[in-house]
Amino acid sequence: MKAPRHGISASRLISKDALCRMERAPDPCVMVLFGASGDLAARKLLPSLAQLAAEKILPKGFRLLGVSRTPKTTESYRREIAAALKEAGVKESGLLKQCDYLAGDGGDPGFYRALNQKLAGLGGRRLFYLSTAPSLFPVIAQRLHEAKLSRPPAGGWTRLVIEKPFGRDLSSAEKLNSVLQGSGFREDQVYRIDHYLGKETVQNILMLRFANVLFEPAWNSHYVDHVQITNAETLGVEHRAAYYDQSGVVRDMFQNHLMQLLSLIAMEPPSGFGADGVRDRKLDVFRAIKPLGTKDSVVAQYASYRREPGVSRDSVTPTYAALRLELDDWRWHGVPFYLRSGKCLAERVTEIAVVFRHVPVSIFKPLLADHLSPNVIRLRIQPDEGVSVRFEAKHPGPKLCMSSVNLDFSYERTFGAKPPEAYARLLLDAMNGDQTLFARSDAVEQCWRVFDPVVRQWERATKPLPSYSAGSWGPDEAEALLARDGRRWDLPYA
Ligand code: BG6
């Protein structure tokens, strides 16, 4: 493979293959997929299962039992799956014959008799996956309990995977947690999914920080000036107005995905790479977030949002938000974290920029210290997944002249492959009983505690929100949020 100019070549990587903690092929199990006819199943879950089948990680005895209200036969369900896989460009790799279908209403107690009968012949390891409307999450959990399906069968296990959104504010999240508990699901049986945690580049934040000695000594308020997390999407609300207009960007992206990114950047080293250690340290971060001041958030709406089909004509739902957070802890004292996310923006990109302080004194007079660009570590979550480190370098020739250059690592160039689908990793972990990459009840509630006031603020708004043009980088107010601190957004690059 050709080495990139400022890159890392694969031949110079020292492979740790022999020491790799191989993703264990799970024991045969049955996955009961509620919401089997839905969009998420077609676009993400089924292609991910097919990917695992192609990699021979999915055990031969695995069964998928699709559940939804639409009456159809197993044959027509399989044809539907085949079409979804074709659309996603994934081979079926033997998955089809492992799939079965059961029509029924997740709210109807009668359905669970049929489910119990079906499961009786399918072994004692059960993964219930709730990919339905959120209002059905507590109902299905309760019905499973009533049908004695929340308790693991002798010698087996029962796990419940719950899609986002987990609640729409603190009190509904607390209520859902207590319904799960009351339905006999112990915390170690509950897998609250956040697909950002399944992204390779998100997991790599922990490798970058804790498998290297170079970065950690500077990863604190002595050296870091501030951190920026940007999630920009080019798409608008599309066909999801019914959900989105009730949720808005803060519920849709901040309370879950962006908080997960923040916690991985800011957490202390855990004692090991296991579920409790990692999730305890993440919880510390959420607890340390200071309450947001009224001037610390900006919300806005893309100009054509109210004309989207299904969106209320006087909607005040934000499609864009930018926030300034601070953590009340030793490591990050006084370091602002700026987070932003929006739909209909100029580019599709998710990136974290750790921006370092200026050198204390410049020896390169007449250049002053703040004439020298600060170092920036950019973690590119998507697309072009990778990491870059910006530093100052001298121009060739007799003049004393400097420019900022990048050391650049790209997943694709280095490993010769695009990272796999996030859901494949998470499904595998759920089958293997590893909760490291799933959100714990206390963490979910803590995140809502941060965002409840923000959500309430815009829900009470009567005036139209500031607007931004589709295809821009968001409203001017978001620029002002950083300008107030003498800073600017790192993207688009200057
Ligand atoms: C989902 C949100 O959780 O994440 C969507 O509901 C958003 O609104 C999506 O578009 C973004 O995911 P990704 O993986 O495309 O960045």
Side-chain angles (χ1 to χ4, degrees):
M1 181 187 299
K2 215 165 136 232
R5 224 151 66 85
H6 300 296
I8 303 166
S9 72
S11 60
R12 292 172 56 205
L13 291 171
I14 301 168
S15 167
K16 307 280 195 312
D17 272 0
L19 301 175
C20 279
R21 195 169 85 179
M22 176 55 194
E23 297 317 336
R24 212 158 40 88
D27 292 324
C29 63
V30 55
M31 173 169 156
V32 180
L33 175 57
F34 288 89
S37 306
D39 188 50
L40 185 76
R43 282 189 309 106
K44 299 288 183 188
L45 302 177
L46 295 166
S48 297
L49 287 172
Q51 222 174 66
L52 293 174
E55 285 161 21
K56 310 239 172 312
I57 298 179
L58 206 61
K60 287 230 160 38
F62 171 81
R63 305 295 297 178
L64 175 74
L65 179 62
V67 173
S68 79
R69 279 182 303 188
T70 325
K72 59 185 126 181
T73 59
T74 288
E75 280 59 46
S76 65
Y77 182 49
R78 287 182 183 175
R79 278 198 298 276
E80 240 177 70
I81 297 179
L85 298 182
K86 193 162 171 216
E87 175 77 27
V90 183
K91 286 212 189 90
E92 70 95 9
S93 306
L95 178 69
L96 288 186
K97 59 179 189 307
Q98 295 174 290
C99 300
D100 207 344
Y101 185 77
L102 186 63
D105 178 348
D108 169 18
F111 162 73
Y112 291 82
R113 278 194 292 280
L115 180 59
N116 243 325
Q117 274 170 13
K118 194 92 186 172
L119 288 176
L122 293 177
R125 303 186 194 92
R126 295 163 180 172
L127 190 69
F128 295 107
Y129 196 117
L130 309 193
S131 173
T132 60
S135 56
L136 279 176
F137 297 164
V139 180
I140 297 175
Q142 182 61 33
R143 296 280 179 268
L144 287 169
H145 175 54
E146 288 157 9
K148 304 209 171 4
L149 282 168
S150 57
R151 214 178 312 136
W157 49 253
T158 295
R159 296 178 190 138
L160 186 70
V161 183
I162 302 199
E163 262 302 329
K164 66 172 273 269
F166 196 91
R168 46 179 290 109
D169 52 20
L170 175 59
S171 95
S172 54
E174 283 173 339
K175 209 182 272 166
L176 182 52
N177 276 329
S178 77
V179 170
L180 297 179
Q181 235 176 34
S183 302
F185 287 102
R186 295 185 316 261
E187 183 60 31
D188 65 1
Q189 290 177 272
V190 181
Y191 291 69
R192 295 172 195 79
I193 210 159
D194 183 314
H195 78 278
Y196 265 58
L197 286 175
K199 290 181 191 275
E200 292 273 308
T201 35
V202 173
Q203 294 167 52
N204 195 47
I205 299 173
L206 292 184
M207 313 299 160
L208 180 97
R209 290 191 56 199
F210 302 130
N212 296 291
V213 77
L214 192 59
F215 305 108
E216 205 47 27
W219 211 261
N220 54 54
S221 60
H222 300 296
Y223 295 98
V224 174
D225 179 72
H226 71 281
V227 176
Q228 301 186 10
I229 304 182
T230 295
N231 165 267
E233 297 188 76
T234 48
L235 294 178
V237 67
E238 307 254 275
H239 56 279
R240 297 167 72 222
Y243 151 75
Y244 196 88
D245 203 36
Q246 296 301 313
S247 298
V249 68
V250 177
R251 291 193 175 101
D252 190 47
M253 296 298 298
F254 281 75
Q255 185 274 341
N256 34 61
H257 307 323
L258 296 200
M259 279 295 98
Q260 294 298 336
L261 297 182
L262 169 75
S263 67
L264 295 173
I265 288 290
M267 70 195 267
E268 293 299 323
S271 53
F273 192 42
D276 281 339
V278 170
R279 298 193 304 172
D280 285 348
R281 297 292 75 81
K282 283 165 66 175
L283 180 65
D284 291 342
V285 173
F286 300 137
R287 284 197 174 125
I289 296 174
K290 291 190 193 174
L292 261 94
T294 46
K295 298 212 169 92
D296 291 336
S297 66
V298 166
V299 289
Q301 208 178 57
Y302 61 85
S304 53
Y305 178 70
R306 289 173 170 202
R307 295 196 299 276
E308 297 276 17
V311 169
S312 139
R313 294 296 164 257
D314 54 0
S315 169
V316 286
T317 301
T319 61
Y320 176 100
L323 306 179
R324 180 189 190 281
L325 295 177
E326 278 194 38
L327 303 188
D328 203 7
D329 69 9
W330 275 47
R331 183 188 283 260
W332 297 114
H333 179 75
V335 177
F337 287 75
Y338 301 99
L339 279 57
R340 63 177 167 165
S341 172
K343 299 227 177 259
C344 267
L345 295 177
E347 223 179 281
R348 176 177 183 258
V349 55
T350 302
E351 188 170 298
I352 303 171
V354 180
V355 182
F356 287 82
R357 292 182 183 280
H358 284 285
V359 292
V361 171
S362 168
I363 61 165
F364 306 107
K365 305 277 179 336
L367 287 176
L368 302 177
D370 57 6
H371 291 153
L372 303 173
S373 300
N375 300 129
V376 180
I377 297 182
R378 296 192 180 105
L379 296 110
R380 173 73 70 129
I381 308 297
Q382 62 193 21
D384 311 329
E385 292 80 359
V387 179
S388 73
V389 179
R390 185 178 81 180
F391 62 97
E392 296 292 89
K394 185 186 173 307
H395 278 203
K399 281 197 213 147
L400 179 61
C401 198
M402 277 180 247
S403 279
S404 300
V405 295
N406 282 308
L407 266 175
D408 194 19
F409 152 66
S410 143
Y411 267 82
E412 200 168 359
R413 284 200 307 264
T414 304
F415 295 120
K418 289 289 277 178
E421 175 54 60
Y423 274 95
R425 169 60 195 247
L426 296 173
L427 283 168
L428 188 61
D429 283 0
M431 290 180 210
N432 274 327
D434 184 347
Q435 292 185 301
T436 311
L437 301 179
F438 294 85
R440 210 166 58 188
S441 58
D442 46 7
V444 172
E445 290 178 13
Q446 202 60 46
C447 291
W448 276 122
R449 216 160 262 135
V450 175
F451 290 109
D452 258 13
V454 185
V455 170
R456 255 183 258 123
Q457 198 178 325
W458 70 257
E459 274 182 344
R460 279 199 298 259
T462 44
K463 285 194 296 189
L465 299 181
S467 93
Y468 61 96
S469 323
S472 70
W473 276 97
D476 294 344
E477 287 82 349
E479 302 299 329
L481 182 74
L482 267 72
R484 193 178 83 191
D485 294 345
R487 301 185 175 106
R488 59 181 298 280
W489 290 104
D490 188 55
L491 271 168
Y493 305 134

